[in-house]
Amino acid sequence: MINRQVITVWRRLILPHWGRTLALLLSVILGVAGLFSIEGVLYSAQESIRYKARDLLGADVIISSWRALDDPWSMATKAQLNDRGKIAEALELATMAKVDAQSQAVPRLVSLKAVSHQYPLIGELKVASVSEEGSLLSPQIETGEDLAEGEVWVAQSIWERFQSQQPLSNKYTLSISGQSLTVSGVIESEPDGGFAGALSFAPRVMMHKDT
């Protein structure tokens, strides 16, 4: 009885519309396969981001604040973190800078970053040093400890501006808040710069926090 009903359904419903039925089955199969493929891509992207997260942050943990972290709770937290590992400090702000040699130069908005000796904790900060002749050397891995007092590292766009205005100079300086700072290197890559640093309208200027 059951076999006859199956055969009847096959003859009346499926067999006359075999093409549509096959198309429906293929659509279902492709849909399921597509879902599994998307899930696999999302999983791979998630694992890649998780793997690169430490390099993108430049540390395992970041604590940020709009005010100085000098209250008792902040000082105690910093002491605990320092006992468990290394701590690097970085202060960021937007400010104006201009080329010293150009007295009539229009100040330009820059993203100033003052770092401590330990920066960066994770990842690589690559800087091309400026030679005594005013040319760039091969990029090297640097840390905040390599930044001397009174010196700054600048983004490539700022260096190109120097080259267009002072192509024959062997010393380049920036004026920030009335203080003259010597450009000693060009930043090639910054571990915690991320997409914001690449797309920012304010190019990076890096200095030591003790300057």
Side-chain angles (χ1 to χ4, degrees):
M1 184 65 179
I2 297 178
N3 291 337
R4 290 182 179 180
Q5 292 177 349
V6 172
I7 294 174
T8 301
V9 171
W10 172 265
R11 288 179 177 178
R12 294 182 179 181
L13 299 179
I14 299 178
L15 190 59
H17 308 286
W18 173 250
R20 296 180 181 179
T21 304
L22 181 60
L24 178 62
L25 291 175
L26 290 176
S27 299
V28 173
I29 293 173
L30 291 176
V32 174
L35 289 176
F36 278 105
S37 299
I38 294 175
E39 184 178 358
V41 171
L42 292 177
Y43 177 79
S44 299
Q46 183 179 6
E47 289 299 312
S48 178
I49 293 175
R50 183 181 303 174
Y51 179 76
K52 291 292 185 179
R54 298 171 74 242
D55 289 340
L56 294 175
L57 293 176
D60 290 314
V61 178
I62 289 182
I63 299 176
S64 61
S65 174
W66 291 100
R67 58 177 178 79
L69 298 175
D70 53 3
D71 57 278
W73 182 88
S74 298
M75 298 300 292
T77 302
K78 290 169 64 175
Q80 291 179 4
L81 292 174
N82 195 35
D83 291 338
R84 299 181 180 182
K86 295 181 179 180
I87 294 179
E89 297 183 60
L91 309 175
E92 294 188 49
L93 73 154
T95 186
M96 305 300 291
K98 72 172 184 177
V99 180
D100 275 354
Q102 303 291 328
S103 59
Q104 301 299 324
V106 178
R108 180 178 183 180
L109 180 67
V110 298
S111 176
L112 181 62
K113 186 173 188 176
V115 300
S116 62
H117 275 44
Q118 296 81 7
Y119 175 87
L121 296 177
I122 297 175
E124 295 181 347
L125 172 63
K126 293 184 178 181
V127 179
S129 299
V130 180
S131 67
E132 295 181 356
E133 293 77 19
S135 60
L136 290 181
L137 303 177
S138 299
Q140 301 292 329
I141 298 176
E142 307 282 2
T143 65
E145 188 176 5
D146 300 311
L147 255 174
E149 185 175 350
E151 295 184 352
V152 292
W153 295 332
V154 299
Q156 183 68 36
S157 60
I158 297 179
W159 175 256
E160 292 173 355
R161 186 176 180 182
F162 274 120
Q163 292 297 293
S164 64
Q165 296 181 356
Q166 307 174 43
L168 301 178
S169 177
N170 59 356
K171 183 178 181 181
Y172 302 97
T173 57
L174 276 181
S175 177
I176 300 179
S177 299
Q179 183 178 4
S180 183
L181 303 169
T182 302
V183 177
S184 61
V186 177
I187 301 173
E188 296 289 334
S189 64
E190 183 182 354
D192 55 341
F195 296 105
L199 302 177
S200 176
F201 292 102
R204 175 72 77 204
V205 174
M206 188 175 295
M207 62 187 293
H208 196 279
K209 73 181 188 68
D210 293 334
T211 297

